[in-house]
């Protein structure tokens, strides 16, 4: 599109030329470029630009997947994107378990969590994807939990889209495999509880400032046992292996 506009600037009407210049100066602004598309549709423009008119508005590229994809089987691809410095956004829906294939433990599962192939509780720690992503110099990273802080989630998405470079948002996501008491109708409350008790921290890392922002309130660790007893993936360990659960 840029080449077509530059090659044809002297061959089009004044109205079209002005729109070309405006697009060339604002090609990353969705609102402006969407308006330009609407205006160009009313005018006589080069045929090759007509074929590409739906690509005139700026767009944000997102890759969306679960923790099995992001932490395990697709991590090589994630790592490649984060190191590419391309303007791509990644959203990880982190359920801390292989939800789609039967609830096996993943690298995102936490120590002590009961899952298929980890019936007596997972013995290893959760992979720290936030810290790994932070190690790339121009990667925006955020940890969100929608039910805990709606505006922090929106802010993270907005900052990721505005960041010129790779971005990754890790979203704590309740799942049926977690065995939340009362079912997924209580998912929003669970998203709040995990942050209130300190199980999840809401954070943002902006490489342009080289600063980590901790958006969580001071956690109330007395609620931690409430969380563990509220989900079958943890409460079942207390029945199977009381000493292990205590540890």
């Amino acid at each position: 599109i840029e080449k077509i506009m530059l090659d044809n600037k002297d061959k089009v009407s004044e109205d079209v030329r002005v729109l070309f210049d405006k697009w060339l100066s604002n090609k990353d602004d969705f609102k402006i470029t969407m308006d330009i598309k609407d205006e160009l549709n009313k005018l006589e423009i080069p045929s090759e630009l007509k074929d590409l008119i739906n690509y005139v508005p700026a767009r944000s590229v997102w890759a969306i997947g679960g923790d099995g994809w992001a932490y395990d089987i697709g991590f090589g691809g994630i790592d490649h994107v984060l190191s590419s410095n391309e303007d791509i956004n990644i959203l990880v829906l982190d359920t801390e378990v292989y939800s789609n294939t039967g609830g096996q433990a993943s690298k995102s599962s936490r120590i002590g969590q009961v899952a298929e192939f980890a019936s007596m509780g997972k013995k290893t720690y959760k992979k720290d994807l936030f810290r790994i992503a932070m190690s790339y110099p121009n990667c925006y990273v955020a940890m969100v939990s929608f039910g805990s802080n709606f505006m922090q989630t929106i802010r993270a998405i907005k900052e990721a889209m505005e960041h010129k470079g790779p971005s990754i948002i890790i979203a704590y996501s309740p799942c049926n495999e977690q065995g939340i008491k009362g079912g997924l109708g209580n998912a929003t409350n669970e998203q709040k509880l995990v942050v209130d008790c300190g199980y999840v921290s809401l954070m943002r890392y902006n490489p342009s400032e080289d600063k980590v922002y901790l958006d969580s309130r001071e956690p109330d660790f007395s609620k931690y046992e409430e969380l563990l007893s509220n989900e079958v993936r943890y409460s079942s360990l207390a029945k199977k292996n009381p000493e292990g659960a205590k540890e």
Side-chain angles (χ1 to χ4, degrees), residues 209-226:
E209 302 171 50
D210 194 22
K211 189 182 291 186
V212 175
Y213 291 94
L214 183 62
D215 297 318
S216 306
R217 296 177 296 277
E218 186 74 23
D220 180 356
F221 293 118
S222 68
K223 292 183 176 180
Y224 214 93
E225 290 292 335
E226 179 187 342

Side-chain angles (χ1 to χ4, degrees), residues 55-191:
Y55 297 94
V56 167
R59 55 193 63 209
S60 194
V61 179
W62 287 85
I64 304 174
D67 51 275
W69 164 69
Y71 285 73
D72 290 318
I73 195 68
F75 177 72
I78 295 276
D79 186 61
H80 186 68
V81 168
L82 296 182
S83 65
S84 70
N85 207 28
E86 294 288 340
D87 192 10
I88 301 174
N89 306 293
I90 299 169
L91 177 63
V92 181
L93 304 175
D94 190 355
T95 66
E96 300 188 329
V97 67
Y98 285 152
S99 309
N100 290 341
T101 55
Q104 300 91 344
S106 84
K107 288 194 185 74
S108 175
S109 302
R110 308 232 182 180
I111 192 166
Q113 179 175 326
V114 172
E116 195 172 336
F117 307 132
S119 60
M120 298 303 282
K122 185 167 174 263
K123 299 293 192 292
T124 54
Y125 289 93
K126 175 170 177 153
K127 183 176 182 177
D128 194 343
L129 189 57
F130 191 103
R131 186 183 294 184
I132 292 168
M134 253 183 74
S135 68
Y136 287 109
N138 189 34
C139 183
Y140 176 89
V141 194
M143 180 85 72
V144 304
S145 185
F146 190 77
S148 172
N149 192 326
F150 174 85
M151 289 310 299
Q152 189 261 356
T153 303
I154 298 300
R155 181 172 186 175
I157 293 170
K158 182 175 183 290
E159 289 178 347
M161 290 175 67
E162 290 172 349
H163 175 64
K164 299 305 174 210
S167 304
I168 185 165
I169 297 175
I170 304 161
Y172 180 80
S173 303
C175 164
N176 195 53
E177 295 293 336
Q178 295 171 354
I180 299 168
K181 286 184 180 176
L184 286 178
N186 292 323
T188 302
N189 292 336
E190 203 70 2
Q191 283 180 311

